[in-house]
Amino acid sequence: MRFTRCLTAAFVVSAAALTACSVSVGTRTVDKNEVASQISSKLEEQVGRKPDSVECPQNLDARKDATLVCTLTDQGSSYDVTVTVTSVEGDKANFDINVANTPKN
């Protein structure tokens, strides 16, 4: 249990550094699976491993200030992850990732 809390704390602490993720957008949305993949990759860069899973309920609108709440699951605990588009530059959407401080369950 202690490892889960430490790891989750690392996810939460690192979330502030997870800014300006950038993905190509062929349409005016970013595919939900691509958003989930970016979240996992950025967290892996920060804490050394990916969470067990990240799922997003729908595609992310590629427009400034659009938000999407995904679910991160790690070692039996689930957390909301809020994704907010900070800018769209041509076919690239940049977004911030913020992991909730407390689990949903």
Side-chain angles (χ1 to χ4, degrees), residues 25-67:
V25 290
T27 62
R28 298 312 299 168
T29 63
V30 182
D31 183 79
K32 65 183 183 179
N33 295 319
E34 181 61 28
V35 174
S37 177
Q38 286 287 319
I39 293 168
S40 289
S41 294
K42 291 298 178 181
L43 289 172
E44 181 179 32
E45 288 175 17
Q46 295 293 316
V47 299
R49 73 171 191 82
K50 291 183 179 183
D52 293 337
S53 68
V54 177
E55 295 181 8
C56 299
Q58 61 195 39
N59 293 342
L60 174 65
D61 288 335
R63 63 176 170 74
K64 188 174 181 337
D65 298 325
T67 61

Side-chain angles (χ1 to χ4, degrees), residues 90-104:
D91 66 346
K92 299 281 186 196
N94 301 302
F95 52 87
D96 290 343
I97 301 167
N98 184 19
V99 180
N101 291 326
T102 56
K104 296 185 341 178

